[in-house]
Amino acid sequence: MSAVAGQRAVPGDPYTVGQSPRGLVIDGQPRVLTTGAIHYPRSAPAMWDSLMKKAKLGGLNTIDTYVFWNMHEPSKGDYDFYTDRANLPLFLQTARENGLFVVLRVGPYVCAEWNYGGFPQWLRHEPDIVFRTYSAPFMREMRRFIAKVVDVTKPYMPEHGGPIIAMQIENEYGDHQRDFGHNGDLFADWCGQTAQQFNLSVPWIMCQQYYRVDGVIPTVNGFYCDQNLDKFRRDNPELPAMWTEMWPGWFQRWGEAAPHRPIEDIAYAVAKWFARGGTSVSYYMYHGGTNFGRTSGPFIMTSYDYDGFIDEYGLENWPKYLHLQALHRLLLEHEQFITGNDVPKSIKLADSDAAAAYVYGTDSDYFAFLINSDSSNSIKIKFDGLKQQLPPWSVTLVRRSKQDKQPNVLYNTAQLSKLIKRAQRHPARFETISSGLSTDNIRWHPLSQAGVPTITAKRPVEQISVTDDKTDYLWYRTNVSLPAECGSLDAAHAKTLVLHDAGDVATVYFNGEFVGMQHGQQDRLATFTFAVPPSTLRLGKENNTEVEISILSQTLGMAHNQRNMESYSRGLLGAITLCGRDITKGKWEMQPGLEGEHLPAHLQDTHAWERYDPEQQLARPQQMRWYAIELDSQMLAEQASDDEPARYAIDMASMSKGHIWINGVHLGRYWLRRAPAASDYAPCRKCTYNGAFHPDRMCRQHCGELSQRYYHLPRSYLRLPKSGDGSARVHNMLYVLEELDGHPEHISIAQRISKLPLQEPEQPRERPRCSWLLGTLATVCGAAVLVGAGTLLFKALKQWRERRGYSRIHTDDSSLAE
């Protein structure tokens, strides 16, 4: 970060951090913190600088991020803090260079809709371990990882120029502390003591910490948090009020409509927080990003857009970005009023208790918040000579200086500028740049169901104990004699295979024949019922017919927020019945993973694969396949512009379910599930800004559409020809693992567009087919109008002259004479 000659750059130059009731004290001054969460593993490193520049222009002065244990220590003692999206030091350095502070939320439990809440898989194998309580094995490993993070981040502490200003230990522990009883209390206290033992130059925080822990600042999360401030000040009179997660949107699961929170309501909640004494707000998320690879929690989509201020692709969500930008700038501009005064008592503004003012400053020099918390009615008020009508569910910011006769209105949370309204009418969109892929560039390879079993047991073994979560997939296979009940005409004997207490997804084959796929919801176990195929029932007429049953069980991310995560289990956990007979016990073989799932060298050599022929594919439906697709690199390179690099997406609408890679980088899972229609889902039919928001009750968008059709294709993961070198041949290989069925020739590449409409775009006008005739008619009509107007004018002038005593006007034109 550069500084004007003679001025300090903070962050950049060494500084100090302390705390006071009116904010974190940085270099001796209590500060207003406008913070946004940007998680470094959820965006490509090439995006970080642009994201931070846009965050700063959006009025932020601080970035917030978790630290993700399972990314940094995938196997015990094997650390990675420096490659690709795990490069935490580069992320911190980028923040420093952009003049942004950082709140580093170490956890190491993070929730975050992240796989296993950030815990590495090896942790569950530690003997006698119980997660997130007073368990010696857990506390030993937790402290060891935090110590490693502290060591890695020491060069970014205040004494070295930052940008770190606070660290977080644990995460939302108050929500679970009581569940663990006395051991929960001991663990919470241990967290505070452990944090202090590192003797860092920044304060530690614990969010959602309802019970006092010495040595840390308790902070809050939620859609609205001003209601907690009075109690907070009574319990913690020496500490600043910090809002660590202000939720301006929400996450999305497969099959859900997109969450959306009205911008007027976000601004209302934030302004009210500062009015009543808050000093710091952090948006979770400011930029949500992408759940690359297998990093998402159960049933959480690959897109983690979160309806953020900057979208998944790194482009401004203009209405939200601009409306809150104006609020942030006013808060920072009047920082000395907010942090330099005690929290004022509320002043009643009208007969209604819903109208109140909070004034920071003196009678003649102040910054004030005028609140109307009535969700239905406007309220007329008079404040210090200012007559104003406060819109429902709004906060008005006013300023009076000593030179002013009355306060000036600066901002109202419920009133949107013309530019913002125009931006709402023209939201970001996807623009197709390739309508389909040439079949000449597509090769395919059938995915074998056969393989060498790694485990043989007398009943199905729990899935994660076999896979160690290195793969979503586990094959369960058994050979059984078809029960006589399958051939019975008795309706009481259902001809079905039933999997009790299974999760998350099961795909069933009888003798290699596809039967069906079923899935659960969220992270709950389910019962799956499949009809025995007719071909098997026909075989069943023979005595002692043996059938092979193959069940491909899948996980879709591991639990990120529940008790006893160390014992989280998936796969075939309950009874298994075939035509009513229990077949759970017998000989079962288990084989983890799918052929080529980790893209070994022999799979990437696709010369031996078949060239794709859509007609042949139609003859073999519901067969798992690999596709290798070469993209048009020149076409991708041509989309770039000087002011904004192209942002690419893969349109997967023609496929079903699976995984995608680009040039060996795992982009994530895809699943083409449709959200409920508005007619079937009440939250799709109601959306108003005025009133308490919750994503399960209102403002869902894109109802009836695919939950996720487009998948982020980061430009930095592509190999593009250098500018001016049209002869260079570069290859970009897209690998698609399709579990069901699809049409890869209809996969297309799109570009994400988000332009701020400075004026209303002109609508194209269709030229009439008979334009010559209309033109002639217009000329004739125009002449007729002129003649008619002349006649009327002549008559009016004649009447005026006669009233004034002038002589009659005589004309040779008898048509104009009386």
Side-chain angles (χ1 to χ4, degrees), residues 365-586:
D365 190 17
Y366 59 78
F367 180 61
F369 301 81
L370 313 182
I371 299 174
N372 177 8
S373 56
D374 189 314
S375 62
S376 302
N377 303 300
S378 297
I379 299 177
K380 291 183 179 180
I381 61 102
K382 184 175 181 180
F383 172 76
D384 195 14
L386 173 69
K387 294 181 179 179
Q388 194 76 8
Q389 182 157 304
L390 304 180
W393 204 253
S394 74
V395 180
T396 301
L397 276 59
V398 300
R399 168 80 169 96
R400 180 179 177 180
S401 68
K402 293 178 179 179
Q403 293 76 31
D404 296 325
K405 294 182 179 180
Q406 66 179 33
N408 296 299
V409 174
L410 304 177
Y411 178 89
N412 180 270
T413 60
Q415 294 175 345
L416 307 182
S417 70
K418 290 182 179 179
L419 179 60
I420 292 173
K421 290 179 180 178
R422 193 181 304 127
Q424 288 180 323
R425 294 193 293 271
H426 303 281
R429 68 187 190 279
F430 290 99
E431 187 176 275
T432 300
I433 58 177
S434 73
S435 57
L437 301 173
S438 169
T439 55
D440 292 339
N441 295 330
I442 306 175
R443 291 182 176 273
W444 77 282
H445 176 68
L447 197 140
S448 173
Q449 295 181 32
V452 179
T454 57
I455 292 179
T456 301
K458 294 181 179 180
R459 62 175 300 145
V461 177
E462 190 275 327
Q463 179 166 346
I464 298 169
S465 65
V466 178
T467 66
D468 209 25
D469 197 39
K470 290 181 171 61
T471 173
D472 286 354
Y473 304 100
L474 180 64
W475 284 105
Y476 293 91
R477 295 189 182 91
T478 188
N479 288 277
V480 297
S481 295
L482 198 66
E485 291 87 344
C486 290
S488 171
L489 297 178
D490 187 350
H493 298 294
K495 298 173 177 57
T496 57
L497 173 73
V498 182
L499 313 177
H500 296 273
D501 292 331
D504 296 318
V505 182
T507 307
V508 170
Y509 299 82
F510 273 69
N511 294 328
E513 177 186 351
F514 174 81
V515 175
M517 172 188 283
Q518 294 187 29
H519 59 83
Q521 296 292 337
Q522 298 183 25
D523 58 352
R524 295 187 292 269
L525 295 173
T527 296
F528 301 139
T529 302
F530 300 88
V532 178
S535 58
T536 301
L537 294 176
R538 286 194 294 271
L539 290 173
K541 294 179 181 180
E542 305 174 11
N543 293 330
N544 298 319
T545 299
E546 190 172 82
V547 296
E548 180 189 69
I549 300 175
S550 299
I551 303 168
L552 181 61
S553 176
Q554 300 177 44
T555 55
L556 286 174
M558 290 184 60
H560 60 273
N561 184 17
Q562 66 177 49
R563 282 189 60 191
N564 304 119
M565 292 173 67
E566 69 282 348
S567 59
Y568 184 79
S569 57
R570 279 298 175 266
L572 306 184
L573 304 179
I576 303 172
T577 61
L578 178 61
C579 299
R581 182 180 296 182
D582 192 329
I583 63 169
T584 311
K585 295 181 179 180

Side-chain angles (χ1 to χ4, degrees), residues 676-723:
S679 58
D680 301 326
Y681 191 51
C684 291
R685 301 193 296 270
K686 176 187 177 183
C687 189
T688 59
Y689 84 85
N690 47 319
F693 170 83
H694 195 281
D696 291 340
R697 295 197 299 265
M698 56 174 48
C699 294
R700 292 283 179 159
Q701 297 184 331
H702 304 296
C703 304
E705 300 177 17
L706 295 172
S707 288
Q708 186 173 357
R709 171 178 175 173
Y710 296 95
Y711 293 80
H712 189 194
L713 180 60
R715 183 180 178 84
S716 58
Y717 293 155
L718 295 170
R719 305 180 188 123
L720 299 176
K722 295 181 180 179
S723 178

Side-chain angles (χ1 to χ4, degrees), residues 22 59 204 216 243 256 349 361 383 600 691 804:
R22 297 306 300 136
W204 287 81
V216 300
W243 191 354
E256 290 184 341
L349 292 177
F383 172 76
R804 295 288 180 178

Side-chain angles (χ1 to χ4, degrees), residues 178-342:
R178 280 190 174 180
D179 296 340
F180 291 105
H182 181 57
N183 279 347
D185 298 337
L186 291 175
F187 176 69
D189 290 337
W190 175 86
C191 287
Q193 295 162 8
T194 299
Q196 292 305 304
Q197 288 169 5
F198 288 107
N199 196 30
L200 298 181
S201 55
V202 296
W204 287 81
I205 63 174
M206 287 183 73
C207 72
Q208 293 291 73
Q209 189 53 44
Y210 312 129
Y211 315 99
R212 185 176 180 88
V213 174
D214 291 336
V216 300
I217 302 171
T219 67
V220 290
N221 300 347
F223 292 108
Y224 310 90
C225 285
D226 64 280
Q227 69 277 9
N228 301 318
L229 284 168
D230 290 342
K231 182 179 186 303
F232 174 86
R233 282 193 294 274
R234 289 194 302 270
D235 295 345
N236 309 278
E238 76 287 2
L239 298 179
M242 301 177 68
W243 191 354
T244 34
E245 291 189 17
M246 191 287 170
W247 301 326
W250 202 240
F251 60 88
Q252 189 176 1
R253 297 183 180 92
W254 304 108
E256 290 184 341
H260 169 71
R261 185 173 182 183
I263 57 178
E264 302 95 329
D265 180 58
I266 299 169
Y268 168 77
V270 172
K272 200 173 179 186
W273 165 261
F274 281 96
R276 299 185 64 180
T279 62
S280 170
V281 65
S282 180
Y283 298 100
Y284 186 99
M285 302 289 295
Y286 196 78
H287 162 74
T290 306
N291 289 317
F292 292 106
R294 302 176 52 253
T295 58
S296 62
F299 288 86
I300 305 297
M301 293 188 341
T302 297
S303 172
Y304 197 68
D305 184 82
Y306 221 90
D307 191 28
F309 297 77
I310 302 175
D311 72 11
E312 178 183 5
Y313 296 80
L315 298 173
E316 294 90 343
N317 179 352
W318 285 113
K320 184 171 290 188
Y321 183 87
L322 291 174
H323 192 49
L324 274 297
Q325 177 193 60
L327 176 58
H328 301 153
R329 289 179 173 177
L330 287 170
L331 293 171
L332 295 176
E333 182 181 338
H334 298 91
E335 178 179 57
Q336 291 185 347
F337 284 97
I338 296 172
T339 62
N341 291 278
D342 292 335

